[in-house]
Amino acid sequence: MNSLGDTIRKLREEKELPLRTVAAYLDIDQAILSKIERGYRKPVREQVVKLAKYFKVKENDLLVAWLSDKVVYEIEDEDMALKALQVAEEKVKYITKNKSKK
Amino acid sequence: MNSLGDTIRKLREEKELPLRTVAAYLDIDQAILSKIERGYRKPVREQVVKLAKYFKVKENDLLVAWLSDKVVYEIEDEDMALKALQVAEEKVKYITKNKSKK
DNA sequence: CTATTTTTGACTAAATATGTCAAAATATAA
DNA sequence: TTATATTTTGACATATTTAGTCAAAAATAG
């Protein structure tokens, strides 16, 4: 199950770049990037978008990983987590359906 | 698609209780309860638990509504919302599976 | 009308998220 | 080894978000 952090670390290591370089591009301290890659911090949306551009991968792929990480983080300690996700899916389907028609 | 707010309002109106009374039980200003019922504020977990007790409904049912509302709130503006939820489900399944065995 | 209840919005306080910095730990290479 | 580069850690500061109060305005019920 790869989290966004794992993905970023892999991309960075493939190119043999130090944290410093990528962190500079994101305009944050390398300490934060280190934590993001290991899952101790969540990046903000803008950083995810920048990373997709930087590593030339599909922005949507990273956004899905980022969003799902956030969702999991928010509910993982709850017994009803899975049930809640299923209900959330229905709600999202309902919302998008009624958004298209006016 | 009923949100938690709708549920609470219905329960409260069935018993013909003013906001004041229920809000006092929750130890918050009635203004907040008003906003919670209409979806302009999210209750905290503790309040959801108290409400279940107060109205004598299943705690888990309210928690599922509360959690799913929170999840939807977090992702609804994103194009990848549905996809993210599906990935999140897989991640949660994976986590709970590996939590049971040690 | 008059009472009661509900809603609104400006404001404050508390909590959480995001970031810096510098030192410690780890890995790399001479 | 020992020197150098990289990564990790944790204490701390700052910013943003969330949760709450309060009082007045609006809506509803008698």
Side-chain angles (χ1 to χ4, degrees):
Chain A
M1 218 68 329
N2 15 295
S3 65
L4 176 59
D6 298 331
T7 304
I8 296 169
R9 172 144 294 190
K10 193 173 291 175
L11 286 167
R12 184 175 62 79
E13 290 184 336
E14 276 171 8
K15 306 205 170 179
E16 298 185 49
L17 297 166
L19 287 168
R20 181 171 30 83
T21 307
V22 181
Y25 179 78
L26 296 179
D27 198 30
I28 54 174
D29 194 280
Q30 59 177 29
I32 294 180
L33 183 55
S34 168
K35 286 166 187 169
I36 287 173
E37 289 186 347
R38 288 170 302 125
Y40 294 109
R41 282 288 178 100
K42 292 170 296 182
V44 299
R45 195 180 194 286
E46 184 199 7
Q47 291 161 349
V48 178
V49 171
K50 278 189 178 179
L51 286 166
K53 194 170 197 176
Y54 189 83
F55 290 119
K56 297 184 174 58
V57 297
K58 290 206 198 96
E59 182 177 302
N60 276 347
D61 287 351
L62 290 198
L63 285 175
V64 167
W66 172 69
L67 280 169
S68 59
D69 278 358
K70 286 210 302 176
V71 166
V72 169
Y73 176 79
E74 186 167 43
I75 65 172
E76 64 182 338
D77 295 333
E78 295 281 350
D79 290 341
M80 307 309 292
L82 199 54
K83 191 89 200 168
L85 282 181
Q86 287 157 0
V87 173
E89 261 194 57
E90 293 311 311
K91 287 179 178 172
V92 166
K93 282 177 187 165
Y94 180 82
I95 290 169
T96 48
K97 191 178 61 178
N98 290 35
K99 193 150 47 191
S100 56
K101 53 168 181 189
K102 188 32 186 331
Chain B
M1 217 73 323
N2 16 292
S3 65
L4 176 59
D6 299 330
T7 304
I8 296 169
R9 173 144 296 190
K10 192 172 294 173
L11 286 168
R12 183 175 63 81
E13 290 183 336
E14 276 172 7
K15 306 203 169 178
E16 298 185 51
L17 297 166
L19 287 169
R20 181 169 31 82
T21 308
V22 181
Y25 180 78
L26 296 179
D27 197 30
I28 54 174
D29 194 279
Q30 59 178 30
I32 294 182
L33 184 56
S34 168
K35 286 166 187 169
I36 287 172
E37 288 186 348
R38 287 168 304 126
Y40 294 110
R41 283 286 177 99
K42 292 170 296 181
V44 299
R45 195 181 195 286
E46 184 198 6
Q47 291 162 349
V48 178
V49 171
K50 277 190 179 178
L51 286 166
K53 194 170 197 176
Y54 189 84
F55 289 119
K56 296 184 175 57
V57 296
K58 289 207 199 96
E59 182 176 303
N60 276 348
D61 287 351
L62 290 198
L63 285 175
V64 166
W66 172 68
L67 281 170
S68 59
D69 278 358
K70 286 211 304 177
V71 166
V72 169
Y73 176 80
E74 186 166 45
I75 65 172
E76 64 183 339
D77 295 333
E78 295 280 349
D79 290 341
M80 306 310 291
L82 198 56
K83 190 89 199 168
L85 281 181
Q86 288 157 358
V87 174
E89 260 193 58
E90 293 310 312
K91 287 179 179 172
V92 166
K93 282 177 189 166
Y94 180 82
I95 290 169
T96 48
K97 191 179 60 176
N98 290 35
K99 191 150 44 190
S100 56
K101 55 169 181 188
K102 186 26 186 336

